[in-house]
Coordinates of all heavy atoms in Angstrom, one line a residue:
M1 N 10.4 -1.4 -18.4 CA 11.4 -2.2 -17.6 C 10.8 -2.8 -16.4 O 10.2 -2.1 -15.6 CB 12.6 -1.2 -17.2 CG 13.7 -1.9 -16.5 SD 15.0 -0.7 -16.2 CE 15.7 -1.5 -14.7
T2 N 11.0 -4.1 -16.2 CA 10.5 -4.8 -15.1 C 11.4 -4.6 -13.9 O 12.6 -4.9 -14.0 CB 10.3 -6.3 -15.4 OG1 9.4 -6.4 -16.5 CG2 9.7 -7.0 -14.2
L3 N 10.9 -4.2 -12.7 CA 11.7 -4.1 -11.5 C 11.9 -5.5 -10.9 O 11.0 -6.4 -11.0 CB 11.0 -3.3 -10.5 CG 10.8 -1.8 -10.9 CD1 9.9 -1.1 -9.8 CD2 12.1 -1.1 -11.0
P4 N 13.1 -5.7 -10.3 CA 13.3 -7.0 -9.6 C 12.5 -7.1 -8.4 O 12.3 -6.1 -7.6 CB 14.8 -7.0 -9.3 CG 15.2 -5.5 -9.3 CD 14.2 -4.8 -10.2
K5 N 12.1 -8.4 -8.1 CA 11.4 -8.7 -6.8 C 12.5 -8.5 -5.7 O 13.6 -8.7 -5.9 CB 11.0 -10.1 -6.8 CG 9.7 -10.4 -7.3 CD 9.3 -11.9 -7.4 CE 9.6 -12.7 -6.2 NZ 9.1 -14.0 -6.2
L6 N 12.0 -8.0 -4.6 CA 12.8 -7.9 -3.4 C 13.2 -9.3 -2.9 O 12.4 -10.2 -2.9 CB 12.2 -7.1 -2.3 CG 11.9 -5.6 -2.5 CD1 11.1 -5.0 -1.4 CD2 13.2 -4.9 -2.7
S7 N 14.4 -9.4 -2.4 CA 14.9 -10.7 -1.8 C 14.2 -10.8 -0.5 O 13.8 -9.8 0.1 CB 16.4 -10.7 -1.6 OG 16.8 -9.8 -0.6
P8 N 14.1 -12.0 0.1 CA 13.5 -12.1 1.4 C 14.2 -11.3 2.5 O 13.5 -10.7 3.3 CB 13.6 -13.6 1.7 CG 13.6 -14.3 0.4 CD 14.4 -13.3 -0.5
S9 N 15.5 -11.2 2.4 CA 16.2 -10.4 3.5 C 15.9 -8.9 3.2 O 15.7 -8.1 4.2 CB 17.7 -10.7 3.5 OG 18.2 -10.4 2.2
D10 N 15.9 -8.4 2.0 CA 15.6 -7.0 1.7 C 14.1 -6.7 2.1 O 13.9 -5.6 2.7 CB 15.8 -6.7 0.2 CG 17.2 -6.6 -0.2 OD1 18.1 -6.4 0.7 OD2 17.5 -6.7 -1.4
L11 N 13.2 -7.6 1.9 CA 11.8 -7.4 2.2 C 11.7 -7.3 3.8 O 11.0 -6.4 4.3 CB 11.0 -8.5 1.7 CG 9.5 -8.4 2.0 CD1 8.9 -7.1 1.5 CD2 8.7 -9.6 1.4
E12 N 12.4 -8.2 4.5 CA 12.3 -8.1 5.9 C 12.9 -6.8 6.5 O 12.3 -6.2 7.4 CB 13.1 -9.3 6.6 CG 12.4 -10.6 6.6 CD 11.1 -10.5 7.4 OE1 11.1 -9.9 8.6 OE2 10.1 -11.0 7.0
A13 N 13.9 -6.3 5.9 CA 14.5 -5.0 6.3 C 13.5 -3.9 6.0 O 13.4 -3.0 6.9 CB 15.8 -4.7 5.5
H14 N 12.9 -3.9 4.9 CA 11.9 -2.9 4.6 C 10.7 -3.0 5.5 O 10.2 -1.9 6.0 CB 11.4 -3.0 3.2 CG 12.3 -2.4 2.1 ND1 12.8 -1.1 2.1 CD2 13.0 -3.1 1.1 CE1 13.6 -1.0 1.1 NE2 13.8 -2.1 0.5
L15 N 10.2 -4.2 5.8 CA 9.1 -4.3 6.7 C 9.3 -3.8 8.1 O 8.4 -3.2 8.8 CB 8.7 -5.8 6.8 CG 7.9 -6.4 5.7 CD1 7.7 -7.9 5.8 CD2 6.5 -5.7 5.6
A16 N 10.6 -3.8 8.5 CA 10.9 -3.3 9.9 C 10.7 -1.8 9.9 O 10.6 -1.2 11.0 CB 12.4 -3.7 10.2
Q17 N 10.7 -1.1 8.7 CA 10.6 0.3 8.6 C 9.2 0.7 8.2 O 8.9 1.9 8.2 CB 11.6 0.9 7.6 CG 13.0 0.5 7.9 CD 13.5 1.1 9.3 OE1 13.2 2.2 9.6 NE2 14.2 0.3 10.0
L18 N 8.3 -0.2 7.9 CA 6.9 0.1 7.4 C 5.9 -0.3 8.5 O 5.4 -1.4 8.6 CB 6.6 -0.8 6.2 CG 7.3 -0.3 4.9 CD1 7.0 -1.3 3.8 CD2 6.8 1.1 4.5
D19 N 5.6 0.7 9.3 CA 4.7 0.5 10.5 C 3.4 0.0 10.0 O 2.7 0.6 9.2 CB 4.5 1.9 11.2 CG 3.6 1.7 12.4 OD1 3.8 0.7 13.1 OD2 2.8 2.6 12.7
G20 N 3.0 -1.2 10.6 CA 1.7 -1.8 10.3 C 1.6 -2.6 9.1 O 0.5 -3.3 8.9
W21 N 2.6 -2.7 8.2 CA 2.5 -3.5 7.0 C 3.1 -4.9 7.3 O 4.0 -5.1 8.1 CB 3.3 -2.8 5.9 CG 2.7 -1.6 5.4 CD1 2.9 -0.3 5.9 CD2 1.8 -1.5 4.3 NE1 2.1 0.6 5.1 CE2 1.5 -0.1 4.2 CE3 1.3 -2.4 3.4 CZ2 0.6 0.4 3.2 CZ3 0.4 -1.9 2.4 CH2 0.1 -0.6 2.3
T22 N 2.4 -5.9 6.7 CA 2.9 -7.3 6.8 C 2.9 -7.8 5.3 O 2.5 -7.1 4.4 CB 1.9 -8.1 7.6 OG1 0.6 -8.1 7.0 CG2 1.8 -7.6 9.0
V23 N 3.3 -9.1 5.2 CA 3.1 -9.8 3.9 C 2.0 -10.8 4.1 O 2.0 -11.6 5.1 CB 4.4 -10.5 3.5 CG1 4.2 -11.3 2.3 CG2 5.5 -9.4 3.3
K24 N 1.0 -10.7 3.2 CA -0.1 -11.6 3.3 C -0.3 -12.1 1.8 O -0.5 -11.3 0.9 CB -1.3 -10.9 3.8 CG -2.6 -11.8 3.9 CD -3.7 -11.1 4.5 CE -5.0 -11.9 4.6 NZ -6.1 -11.2 5.1
D25 N -0.3 -13.4 1.6 CA -0.5 -14.0 0.3 C 0.4 -13.4 -0.7 O 0.1 -13.1 -1.9 CB -2.0 -13.8 -0.2 CG -3.0 -14.4 0.8 OD1 -2.7 -15.5 1.3 OD2 -4.1 -13.9 0.9
G26 N 1.7 -13.2 -0.3 CA 2.7 -12.7 -1.2 C 2.6 -11.2 -1.6 O 3.3 -10.8 -2.5
K27 N 1.8 -10.5 -0.8 CA 1.7 -9.0 -1.1 C 1.9 -8.2 0.2 O 1.6 -8.7 1.3 CB 0.2 -8.8 -1.6 CG -0.1 -9.5 -2.9 CD -1.6 -9.4 -3.2 CE -1.9 -10.2 -4.5 NZ -3.3 -10.2 -4.8
L28 N 2.3 -7.0 0.0 CA 2.4 -6.1 1.2 C 0.9 -5.8 1.5 O 0.1 -5.5 0.7 CB 3.1 -4.7 0.8 CG 4.6 -4.7 0.8 CD1 5.1 -3.3 0.5 CD2 5.1 -5.1 2.2
H29 N 0.6 -5.8 2.8 CA -0.8 -5.7 3.3 C -0.9 -4.9 4.5 O -0.1 -4.9 5.4 CB -1.2 -7.2 3.6 CG -2.6 -7.2 4.2 ND1 -3.7 -7.3 3.5 CD2 -3.0 -7.2 5.5 CE1 -4.8 -7.3 4.3 NE2 -4.4 -7.3 5.5
K30 N -1.9 -4.0 4.5 CA -2.2 -3.2 5.7 C -3.7 -2.8 5.7 O -4.3 -2.6 4.6 CB -1.4 -1.9 5.7 CG -1.6 -1.1 7.0 CD -0.6 0.0 7.1 CE -0.8 0.8 8.4 NZ 0.2 1.8 8.6
E31 N -4.2 -2.8 6.9 CA -5.6 -2.3 7.1 C -5.6 -1.0 7.8 O -5.0 -0.9 8.9 CB -6.4 -3.4 7.8 CG -6.5 -4.7 7.0 CD -7.3 -5.8 7.7 OE1 -8.0 -5.5 8.7 OE2 -7.2 -6.9 7.2
F32 N -6.3 0.0 7.3 CA -6.4 1.3 7.9 C -7.8 1.5 8.4 O -8.7 1.0 7.8 CB -6.1 2.4 6.8 CG -4.7 2.5 6.4 CD1 -4.3 1.7 5.3 CD2 -3.8 3.3 7.0 CE1 -3.0 1.8 4.8 CE2 -2.5 3.4 6.5 CZ -2.1 2.6 5.4
K33 N -7.9 2.2 9.5 CA -9.3 2.5 10.0 C -9.3 4.0 10.3 O -8.4 4.6 10.9 CB -9.5 1.7 11.3 CG -11.0 1.9 11.8 CD -11.3 1.0 12.9 CE -12.7 1.1 13.3 NZ -13.1 0.3 14.5
F34 N -10.4 4.7 9.9 CA -10.6 6.1 10.0 C -11.8 6.4 10.8 O -12.6 5.5 11.1 CB -10.7 6.7 8.6 CG -9.4 6.5 7.8 CD1 -9.3 5.4 7.0 CD2 -8.4 7.4 7.9 CE1 -8.2 5.2 6.2 CE2 -7.2 7.2 7.1 CZ -7.1 6.1 6.3
A35 N -12.0 7.7 11.2 CA -13.1 8.1 12.0 C -14.4 8.0 11.2 O -15.5 7.9 11.8 CB -12.9 9.5 12.6
S36 N -14.3 8.1 9.9 CA -15.6 8.2 9.1 C -15.3 7.8 7.7 O -14.1 7.6 7.2 CB -16.1 9.6 9.0 OG -15.2 10.5 8.3
F37 N -16.3 7.6 6.9 CA -16.2 7.2 5.5 C -15.5 8.4 4.7 O -14.7 8.1 3.9 CB -17.6 7.0 4.9 CG -17.6 6.8 3.4 CD1 -17.1 5.6 2.8 CD2 -18.0 7.8 2.6 CE1 -17.0 5.5 1.5 CE2 -18.0 7.6 1.2 CZ -17.5 6.5 0.6
V38 N -15.9 9.6 5.1 CA -15.3 10.8 4.4 C -13.8 10.8 4.5 O -13.1 11.0 3.6 CB -16.0 12.1 4.9 CG1 -15.2 13.3 4.3 CG2 -17.4 12.1 4.4
E39 N -13.3 10.5 5.7 CA -11.9 10.4 6.0 C -11.2 9.3 5.2 O -10.1 9.5 4.6 CB -11.5 10.3 7.5 CG -11.8 11.6 8.2 CD -11.3 11.5 9.7 OE1 -10.4 10.8 10.0 OE2 -12.0 12.2 10.5
A40 N -11.8 8.1 5.2 CA -11.3 7.0 4.4 C -11.3 7.3 2.9 O -10.3 7.1 2.3 CB -12.1 5.8 4.7
F41 N -12.3 7.9 2.4 CA -12.4 8.2 1.0 C -11.4 9.3 0.6 O -10.8 9.3 -0.4 CB -13.8 8.6 0.6 CG -14.0 8.7 -0.9 CD1 -14.4 7.5 -1.5 CD2 -13.9 9.8 -1.6 CE1 -14.6 7.5 -2.9 CE2 -14.1 9.9 -3.0 CZ -14.4 8.7 -3.6
G42 N -11.2 10.3 1.5 CA -10.2 11.4 1.3 C -8.8 10.8 1.2 O -8.0 11.2 0.4
F43 N -8.5 9.9 2.1 CA -7.2 9.2 2.1 C -7.1 8.4 0.8 O -6.0 8.5 0.1 CB -7.2 8.2 3.3 CG -5.9 7.4 3.4 CD1 -4.7 8.0 3.6 CD2 -6.0 6.0 3.3 CE1 -3.5 7.3 3.8 CE2 -4.8 5.3 3.4 CZ -3.6 5.9 3.7
M44 N -8.1 7.7 0.3 CA -8.0 7.0 -1.0 C -7.8 8.0 -2.1 O -7.0 7.7 -3.0 CB -9.3 6.2 -1.2 CG -9.4 5.0 -0.2 SD -11.0 4.2 -0.4 CE -10.8 3.4 -2.0
S45 N -8.5 9.1 -2.1 CA -8.3 10.1 -3.1 C -6.9 10.6 -3.2 O -6.3 10.8 -4.3 CB -9.3 11.3 -2.9 OG -10.6 10.9 -3.0
S46 N -6.3 10.9 -2.0 CA -4.9 11.3 -2.0 C -4.0 10.3 -2.5 O -3.0 10.5 -3.3 CB -4.5 11.7 -0.5 OG -5.2 12.8 -0.1
L47 N -4.2 9.0 -2.2 CA -3.4 7.9 -2.7 C -3.6 7.7 -4.1 O -2.7 7.2 -4.8 CB -3.7 6.6 -1.9 CG -3.1 6.6 -0.5 CD1 -3.5 5.4 0.3 CD2 -1.5 6.7 -0.5
A48 N -4.8 8.0 -4.7 CA -5.0 7.9 -6.1 C -4.0 8.8 -6.9 O -3.5 8.4 -7.9 CB -6.4 8.2 -6.4
L49 N -3.8 9.9 -6.3 CA -2.8 10.9 -7.0 C -1.4 10.3 -7.0 O -0.7 10.4 -7.9 CB -2.9 12.2 -6.3 CG -4.2 13.0 -6.4 CD1 -4.2 14.2 -5.6 CD2 -4.6 13.2 -7.9
V50 N -1.0 9.7 -5.8 CA 0.3 9.1 -5.7 C 0.4 7.9 -6.7 O 1.4 7.8 -7.5 CB 0.5 8.5 -4.3 CG1 1.8 7.6 -4.2 CG2 0.6 9.7 -3.3
S51 N -0.7 7.1 -6.8 CA -0.7 6.0 -7.7 C -0.5 6.4 -9.2 O 0.2 5.8 -9.9 CB -2.0 5.2 -7.6 OG -2.1 4.6 -6.3
E52 N -1.3 7.4 -9.6 CA -1.2 7.9 -10.9 C 0.2 8.5 -11.3 O 0.7 8.2 -12.3 CB -2.2 9.0 -11.2 CG -3.6 8.4 -11.5 CD -3.6 7.5 -12.7 OE1 -3.3 8.0 -13.8 OE2 -4.0 6.3 -12.6
S53 N 0.8 9.2 -10.3 CA 2.1 9.8 -10.5 C 3.2 8.7 -10.7 O 4.1 8.9 -11.4 CB 2.5 10.8 -9.4 OG 2.8 10.1 -8.2
M54 N 3.0 7.6 -10.0 CA 3.9 6.5 -10.1 C 3.6 5.5 -11.2 O 4.4 4.6 -11.5 CB 3.9 5.7 -8.8 CG 4.5 6.4 -7.6 SD 4.4 5.4 -6.1 CE 5.5 4.1 -6.5
G55 N 2.4 5.5 -11.7 CA 1.9 4.5 -12.6 C 1.9 3.1 -11.9 O 2.2 2.1 -12.5
H56 N 1.6 3.1 -10.6 CA 1.6 1.9 -9.8 C 0.3 1.9 -8.9 O 0.2 2.8 -8.1 CB 2.8 1.9 -8.9 CG 3.1 0.6 -8.2 ND1 3.3 -0.6 -8.9 CD2 3.2 0.3 -6.9 CE1 3.5 -1.5 -8.1 NE2 3.4 -1.0 -6.8
H57 N -0.6 1.0 -9.1 CA -1.9 1.0 -8.5 C -2.1 -0.1 -7.5 O -1.7 -1.3 -7.8 CB -2.9 1.0 -9.6 CG -2.8 2.2 -10.5 ND1 -1.9 2.1 -11.6 CD2 -3.2 3.5 -10.5 CE1 -1.9 3.3 -12.2 NE2 -2.7 4.1 -11.6
P58 N -2.7 0.2 -6.4 CA -2.9 -0.9 -5.4 C -4.2 -1.7 -5.7 O -5.0 -1.4 -6.5 CB -3.2 0.0 -4.1 CG -3.9 1.2 -4.7 CD -3.3 1.5 -6.0
E59 N -4.2 -2.8 -5.0 CA -5.5 -3.6 -4.8 C -6.0 -3.1 -3.5 O -5.3 -3.2 -2.5 CB -5.2 -5.1 -4.8 CG -4.5 -5.6 -6.0 CD -4.1 -7.1 -5.9 OE1 -4.5 -7.7 -4.9 OE2 -3.3 -7.5 -6.8
W60 N -7.2 -2.5 -3.5 CA -7.8 -2.0 -2.2 C -9.3 -2.3 -2.2 O -9.9 -2.5 -3.2 CB -7.4 -0.6 -2.0 CG -7.8 0.5 -3.0 CD1 -8.6 0.4 -4.0 CD2 -7.3 1.8 -3.0 NE1 -8.7 1.6 -4.7 CE2 -7.9 2.5 -4.1 CE3 -6.4 2.5 -2.2 CZ2 -7.6 3.8 -4.4 CZ3 -6.1 3.8 -2.6 CH2 -6.7 4.4 -3.6
F61 N -9.7 -2.3 -0.9 CA -11.1 -2.6 -0.6 C -11.5 -1.7 0.5 O -10.9 -1.6 1.5 CB -11.2 -4.1 -0.2 CG -12.6 -4.5 0.1 CD1 -13.6 -4.7 -0.9 CD2 -13.0 -4.7 1.4 CE1 -14.9 -5.1 -0.6 CE2 -14.3 -5.1 1.7 CZ -15.2 -5.3 0.7
N62 N -12.6 -1.0 0.3 CA -13.1 0.0 1.3 C -14.5 -0.4 1.7 O -15.4 -0.6 0.9 CB -13.1 1.4 0.7 CG -13.9 2.4 1.4 OD1 -14.9 2.9 1.0 ND2 -13.4 2.7 2.6
V63 N -14.8 -0.4 3.0 CA -16.1 -0.5 3.6 C -16.2 0.6 4.7 O -15.4 0.5 5.6 CB -16.4 -1.9 4.2 CG1 -17.7 -1.9 4.9 CG2 -16.3 -3.0 3.1
Y64 N -17.1 1.5 4.5 CA -17.3 2.6 5.4 C -16.0 3.3 5.8 O -15.4 4.0 5.0 CB -18.1 2.2 6.6 CG -18.5 3.4 7.5 CD1 -19.1 4.5 7.0 CD2 -18.0 3.4 8.8 CE1 -19.4 5.6 7.9 CE2 -18.3 4.5 9.7 CZ -19.0 5.5 9.2 OH -19.2 6.6 10.0
N65 N -15.5 3.1 7.0 CA -14.3 3.8 7.5 C -13.0 2.9 7.5 O -12.0 3.2 8.0 CB -14.5 4.3 9.0 CG -14.7 3.2 10.0 OD1 -15.0 2.0 9.6 ND2 -14.4 3.5 11.2
R66 N -13.1 1.7 6.8 CA -12.0 0.8 6.8 C -11.5 0.7 5.4 O -12.3 0.6 4.4 CB -12.4 -0.6 7.3 CG -12.7 -0.6 8.8 CD -13.2 -1.9 9.3 NE -14.6 -2.0 8.8 CZ -15.1 -3.1 8.2 NH1 -14.4 -4.1 7.9 NH2 -16.4 -3.1 7.8
L67 N -10.2 0.6 5.2 CA -9.6 0.4 3.9 C -8.5 -0.7 4.0 O -7.6 -0.6 4.9 CB -8.9 1.7 3.5 CG -8.1 1.7 2.2 CD1 -9.0 1.3 1.0 CD2 -7.4 3.0 1.9
T68 N -8.6 -1.7 3.2 CA -7.6 -2.7 3.2 C -6.8 -2.6 1.9 O -7.4 -2.4 0.8 CB -8.3 -4.1 3.2 OG1 -9.1 -4.2 4.4 CG2 -7.2 -5.2 3.2
I69 N -5.5 -2.6 2.0 CA -4.6 -2.4 0.8 C -3.7 -3.6 0.7 O -3.0 -4.0 1.7 CB -3.8 -1.1 1.0 CG1 -4.7 0.1 1.1 CG2 -2.8 -0.9 -0.2 CD1 -4.0 1.4 1.4
D70 N -3.5 -4.0 -0.5 CA -2.5 -5.1 -0.9 C -1.7 -4.5 -2.0 O -2.3 -4.0 -3.0 CB -3.2 -6.4 -1.3 CG -3.9 -7.1 -0.1 OD1 -3.1 -7.3 0.9 OD2 -5.1 -7.3 -0.2
L71 N -0.4 -4.7 -1.9 CA 0.5 -4.2 -3.0 C 1.4 -5.3 -3.5 O 2.0 -6.0 -2.7 CB 1.4 -3.1 -2.4 CG 0.7 -1.8 -1.8 CD1 1.7 -1.0 -1.0 CD2 0.1 -1.0 -3.0
T72 N 1.5 -5.3 -4.8 CA 2.4 -6.2 -5.5 C 2.7 -5.6 -6.9 O 1.9 -4.8 -7.4 CB 1.9 -7.6 -5.6 OG1 2.9 -8.5 -6.1 CG2 0.7 -7.7 -6.5
T73 N 3.8 -6.0 -7.4 CA 4.1 -5.5 -8.8 C 3.9 -6.7 -9.7 O 4.7 -7.6 -9.7 CB 5.6 -5.0 -8.9 OG1 5.8 -3.9 -7.9 CG2 5.9 -4.5 -10.3
H74 N 2.8 -6.7 -10.3 CA 2.4 -7.9 -11.1 C 3.4 -8.3 -12.2 O 3.7 -9.5 -12.4 CB 1.0 -7.7 -11.7 CG -0.1 -7.5 -10.7 ND1 -0.6 -8.6 -10.0 CD2 -0.7 -6.5 -10.2 CE1 -1.5 -8.2 -9.2 NE2 -1.6 -6.9 -9.3
D75 N 4.0 -7.3 -12.9 CA 4.9 -7.6 -13.9 C 6.2 -8.3 -13.4 O 6.9 -9.0 -14.1 CB 5.4 -6.3 -14.6 CG 4.3 -5.6 -15.4 OD1 3.2 -6.3 -15.7 OD2 4.4 -4.5 -15.9
S76 N 6.5 -8.0 -12.1 CA 7.7 -8.6 -11.5 C 7.4 -9.9 -10.8 O 8.3 -10.6 -10.3 CB 8.3 -7.6 -10.5 OG 8.7 -6.5 -11.2
G77 N 6.1 -10.2 -10.6 CA 5.7 -11.4 -9.9 C 5.9 -11.4 -8.4 O 6.1 -12.4 -7.7
G78 N 5.9 -10.2 -7.8 CA 6.0 -10.1 -6.3 C 6.2 -8.6 -5.9 O 5.9 -7.7 -6.6
I79 N 6.8 -8.5 -4.7 CA 6.9 -7.2 -4.1 C 8.3 -6.6 -4.5 O 9.3 -7.2 -4.5 CB 6.9 -7.3 -2.5 CG1 5.6 -7.9 -2.1 CG2 7.2 -6.0 -1.8 CD1 5.5 -8.4 -0.6
T80 N 8.2 -5.3 -4.9 CA 9.4 -4.6 -5.4 C 9.5 -3.3 -4.6 O 8.7 -2.9 -3.8 CB 9.3 -4.2 -6.9 OG1 8.2 -3.2 -7.1 CG2 9.0 -5.4 -7.8
D81 N 10.6 -2.5 -5.0 CA 10.8 -1.2 -4.3 C 9.6 -0.3 -4.6 O 9.3 0.6 -3.7 CB 12.1 -0.6 -4.9 CG 13.3 -1.2 -4.3 OD1 13.3 -1.7 -3.1 OD2 14.4 -1.2 -4.9
N82 N 8.9 -0.4 -5.7 CA 7.8 0.5 -6.0 C 6.7 0.2 -4.9 O 6.0 1.2 -4.5 CB 7.2 0.2 -7.3 CG 7.8 1.1 -8.4 OD1 8.6 1.9 -8.1 ND2 7.3 0.9 -9.6
D83 N 6.5 -1.0 -4.5 CA 5.5 -1.3 -3.5 C 5.9 -0.7 -2.2 O 5.0 -0.1 -1.4 CB 5.3 -2.8 -3.4 CG 4.9 -3.4 -4.7 OD1 3.8 -3.0 -5.2 OD2 5.6 -4.3 -5.2
V84 N 7.1 -0.8 -1.8 CA 7.6 -0.3 -0.6 C 7.5 1.2 -0.5 O 7.0 1.8 0.4 CB 9.1 -0.7 -0.3 CG1 9.7 0.0 0.9 CG2 9.2 -2.2 -0.1
Y85 N 7.9 1.9 -1.6 CA 7.7 3.3 -1.7 C 6.3 3.8 -1.6 O 6.0 4.7 -0.9 CB 8.3 3.8 -3.1 CG 8.2 5.3 -3.2 CD1 9.1 6.2 -2.6 CD2 7.2 5.9 -4.0 CE1 9.0 7.6 -2.7 CE2 7.1 7.3 -4.2 CZ 8.0 8.1 -3.5 OH 7.9 9.5 -3.7
W86 N 5.4 3.1 -2.3 CA 3.9 3.4 -2.2 C 3.4 3.2 -0.8 O 2.7 4.1 -0.3 CB 3.2 2.5 -3.2 CG 1.8 2.9 -3.5 CD1 1.4 3.6 -4.6 CD2 0.6 2.8 -2.7 NE1 0.1 3.8 -4.6 CE2 -0.5 3.3 -3.4 CE3 0.3 2.2 -1.5 CZ2 -1.8 3.4 -3.0 CZ3 -1.0 2.3 -1.0 CH2 -2.0 2.8 -1.7
A87 N 3.9 2.2 -0.1 CA 3.5 1.9 1.3 C 4.0 3.0 2.2 O 3.3 3.5 3.1 CB 4.0 0.6 1.8
Q88 N 5.2 3.5 2.0 CA 5.7 4.6 2.7 C 4.9 5.9 2.6 O 4.6 6.6 3.5 CB 7.2 4.9 2.3 CG 8.2 3.8 2.7 CD 9.5 4.0 2.1 OE1 9.6 4.6 1.0 NE2 10.5 3.4 2.7
K89 N 4.5 6.1 1.3 CA 3.6 7.3 1.0 C 2.3 7.2 1.7 O 1.8 8.1 2.3 CB 3.4 7.5 -0.5 CG 4.7 8.0 -1.2 CD 5.0 9.3 -0.7 CE 5.7 10.2 -1.6 NZ 6.1 11.5 -1.1
A90 N 1.7 6.0 1.7 CA 0.5 5.7 2.4 C 0.6 6.0 3.9 O -0.3 6.7 4.5 CB 0.0 4.3 2.1
N91 N 1.6 5.5 4.5 CA 1.8 5.8 5.9 C 2.0 7.3 6.2 O 1.4 7.8 7.2 CB 3.1 5.0 6.4 CG 2.7 3.6 6.7 OD1 1.6 3.1 6.6 ND2 3.8 2.8 7.1
Q92 N 2.7 8.0 5.4 CA 2.9 9.4 5.6 C 1.6 10.1 5.5 O 1.3 11.0 6.3 CB 3.9 10.0 4.5 CG 5.3 9.6 4.7 CD 6.2 9.9 3.5 OE1 5.7 10.5 2.6 NE2 7.5 9.6 3.6
L93 N 0.8 9.8 4.5 CA -0.5 10.4 4.3 C -1.6 10.1 5.4 O -2.5 10.8 5.6 CB -1.1 10.1 2.9 CG -0.4 10.8 1.7 CD1 -0.8 10.2 0.4 CD2 -0.5 12.3 1.8
S94 N -1.4 9.0 6.0 CA -2.4 8.6 7.0 C -2.2 9.2 8.4 O -3.0 9.1 9.3 CB -2.3 7.0 7.2 OG -1.2 6.6 7.9
T95 N -1.1 10.0 8.6 CA -0.9 10.6 9.9 C -1.3 12.0 9.9 O -1.5 12.7 8.9 CB 0.6 10.5 10.3 OG1 1.4 11.1 9.2 CG2 1.1 9.1 10.5

């Protein structure tokens, strides 16, 4: 089942609750910075478990202690509730 894309007003409401997340190129976007590569990789490993449990996987890019994440639901052609939920989990795990 394909999830519906969020409306612009729903997306704005969610963004107000997602610390540090923006929309870039039609995707939820955030850049995380950690004290070390090990911390960044550990964070990615934790999020990999979230991704597998949801069947929803991010576009991400890691260099040393930095991690850039972009989220979109490709089947829906944009940002859905799954992306927002995943972003919330990422924020919870980063603290």
